[in-house]
Amino acid sequence: MSGLANEYKAINLGQGFPDYQMSDELMSKVNEVMHMGFNQYVPMQGYMALRESIAEKVAYLYGSKVSPDTEITITPGGTYAIYTSLTATLQPGDEVIVFQPGYDSYIPNVEINGAIAVLVDLKFPEYKIDWNEVRKKISDKTRMIMLNSPHNPTGAVLSEEDMKELQSIVKDTNILILSDEVYEHLIFDNIPHQSMLRYPDLRQRSFVCFSFGKTYNCTGWKLGYCIAPADMMKEFRKVHQFNCFSCHTPSQVALADFLKNKEAYLSLSGIMQEKRDYFIKLMSATKFDLLNSSGSYFVCAKYNRISDEGDKEFAIRITKEYSVATIPVSVFYKNGTDNKVIRFCFSKKKETLDEAVERLIKIS
Ligand SMILES: Cc1ncc(COP(=O)(O)O)c(C=O)c1O
């Protein structure tokens, strides 16, 4: 859709990235440390001071004690952290519970390891997890459950009740958890983020993956990290050692310091909530019906008052005819389930949202 957006000079509300500038201070810090000489490899696990800052952050946010030495590894982005966690643990024939719709890397990352993605549909239109369905799909081959909250593409978030269900399902089993928490700070309406790190019994079986790109409006930096118990992290590092090995040094040095500024990450949910609310208000003048979004960059919308086209066809047509690009949600399903819903990304400047909605209003 981004390709089509460029071709038709459309406003791109499809792909998830902010169209505004990241922190000046953070950019200057990177520049500064480069001039100071931080331009060579750091250890494979990541720059130690950054790992220490991460440990302080998760202790503060989630009350979780994590060893910077043995339980944190810096990675080139969240996607890589997810891939590495799966590759470190899956064997051919293992089953992995994957919810759909879901982030597009999950299923290929499971399958490339010879494992089987056992799919569970989130309940439309709230996109909640049906835990009874999960129970039915668990077998003696289930190696892992993959979770993502706040969720791409739907903006759904896990609740305390969900965590209780998860705890009861994995209790007394060897099932591992992969928790994609790249949108941990993009959560709205004062809802607490249900990190696996808050729950000792879940934390001790979880790879938890994060992304600095999402937290600091710099998706192009491709820097993130994974937290896991020492024995699991040891396996993770065996894969990482011979793949990426060492991540971009100056960014790590700058972030080690910048991460201590709590306001910089705590302010994000308010900023993004304001964008979500602004977009919802503008969209009330259109014929789209927005679904609930409690987190992430995204809000989904039904368009049945406009058309009964399939979602791909519809998304392509409005890109071409109205110059606004979105993402059809069926692409986040392996079997292409089409609930006739498209995804909008609202992490954009007000002017971008204004201009896009001005065009969307014209669709009848
Ligand atoms: C759910 C989810 N996980 C991971 C990522 C990727 O994070 P990164 O760019 O740090 O690899 C994205 C990016 O869109 C995402 O939506």
Side-chain angles (χ1 to χ4, degrees), residues 128-197:
K128 292 280 175 216
I129 295 177
D130 180 343
W131 290 105
N132 285 332
E133 190 63 23
V134 177
R135 280 192 182 85
K136 278 189 216 151
K137 300 238 167 131
I138 299 270
S139 79
D140 55 2
K141 295 207 180 95
T142 308
R143 179 73 174 130
M144 187 182 268
I145 300 177
M146 292 181 80
L147 290 145
N148 169 217
S149 178
H151 183 255
N152 175 14
T154 67
V157 297
L158 290 174
S159 65
E160 219 178 311
E161 202 46 49
D162 288 316
M163 303 307 271
K164 285 191 189 131
E165 292 277 10
L166 181 62
Q167 283 173 305
S168 93
I169 284 178
V170 297
K171 192 168 185 286
D172 301 325
T173 72
N174 291 324
I175 298 173
L176 303 177
I177 294 168
L178 182 298
S179 185
D180 178 349
E181 302 186 13
V182 300
Y183 298 109
E184 64 175 328
H185 297 300
L186 301 174
I187 183 158
F188 315 133
D189 311 317
N190 295 320
I191 301 173
H193 169 54
Q194 295 295 343
S195 176
M196 296 302 141
L197 299 174

Side-chain angles (χ1 to χ4, degrees), residues 90-354:
L90 295 181
Q91 297 293 327
D94 284 348
E95 292 181 1
V96 180
I97 302 283
V98 180
F99 296 96
Q100 58 171 14
Y103 181 52
D104 50 7
S105 79
Y106 298 160
I107 296 176
N109 283 187
V110 168
E111 290 179 346
I112 203 165
N113 286 293
I116 299 153
V118 175
L119 304 172
V120 177
D121 281 6
L122 297 172
K123 277 189 290 184
F124 180 76
E126 297 85 11
Y127 296 109
K128 292 280 175 216
I129 295 177
D130 180 343
W131 290 105
N132 285 332
E133 190 63 23
V134 177
R135 280 192 182 85
K136 278 189 216 151
K137 300 238 167 131
I138 299 270
S139 79
D140 55 2
K141 295 207 180 95
T142 308
R143 179 73 174 130
M144 187 182 268
I145 300 177
M146 292 181 80
L147 290 145
N148 169 217
S149 178
H151 183 255
N152 175 14
T154 67
V157 297
L158 290 174
S159 65
E160 219 178 311
E161 202 46 49
D162 288 316
M163 303 307 271
K164 285 191 189 131
E165 292 277 10
L166 181 62
Q167 283 173 305
S168 93
I169 284 178
V170 297
K171 192 168 185 286
D172 301 325
T173 72
N174 291 324
I175 298 173
L176 303 177
I177 294 168
L178 182 298
S179 185
D180 178 349
E181 302 186 13
V182 300
Y183 298 109
E184 64 175 328
H185 297 300
L186 301 174
I187 183 158
F188 315 133
D189 311 317
N190 295 320
I191 301 173
H193 169 54
Q194 295 295 343
S195 176
M196 296 302 141
L197 299 174
R198 284 185 194 276
Y199 298 84
D201 54 334
L202 298 177
R203 139 119 171 90
Q204 51 108 1
R205 58 174 81 231
S206 294
F207 290 101
V208 191
C209 302
F210 299 92
S211 169
F212 289 116
K214 302 291 184 190
T215 301
Y216 293 122
N217 299 327
C218 52
T219 58
W221 278 27
K222 292 300 293 185
L223 203 64
Y225 55 98
C226 181
I227 296 179
D231 54 343
M232 288 163 61
M233 187 49 77
K234 195 170 160 199
E235 298 307 308
F236 181 101
R237 287 177 178 171
K238 287 180 190 169
V239 178
H240 177 60
Q241 165 88 44
F242 298 113
N243 194 2
C244 162
F245 169 60
S246 174
C247 298
H248 191 250
T249 297
S251 312
Q252 293 189 60
V253 178
L255 282 165
D257 191 32
F258 197 68
L259 212 57
K260 294 189 193 306
N261 176 358
K262 296 189 175 79
E263 188 49 27
Y265 57 78
L266 292 178
S267 61
L268 198 63
S269 75
I271 294 168
M272 209 57 78
Q273 179 173 329
E274 216 172 274
K275 288 193 180 295
R276 177 201 63 173
D277 293 344
Y278 186 71
F279 185 64
I280 292 175
K281 193 155 167 257
L282 291 178
M283 288 293 283
S284 64
T286 71
K287 283 191 168 173
F288 289 93
D289 295 307
L290 297 189
L291 301 176
N292 186 48
S293 167
S294 300
S296 80
Y297 285 153
F298 309 112
V299 60
C300 292
K302 294 197 286 184
Y303 54 85
N304 59 320
R305 288 194 288 139
I306 301 171
S307 161
D308 59 5
E309 286 159 284
D311 66 354
K312 282 189 194 158
E313 203 184 341
F314 179 72
I316 290 170
R317 184 169 69 80
I318 65 166
T319 308
K320 290 181 178 173
E321 292 180 9
Y322 296 90
S323 299
V324 179
T326 59
I327 305 275
V329 171
S330 67
V331 304
F332 298 99
Y333 287 86
K334 185 169 186 187
N335 54 358
T337 299
D338 184 359
N339 291 310
K340 307 211 167 162
V341 169
I342 56 174
R343 186 193 79 179
F344 291 97
C345 172
F346 53 75
S347 65
K348 307 290 174 190
K349 292 185 281 221
K350 270 190 170 173
E351 307 87 270
T352 312
L353 298 177
D354 286 339

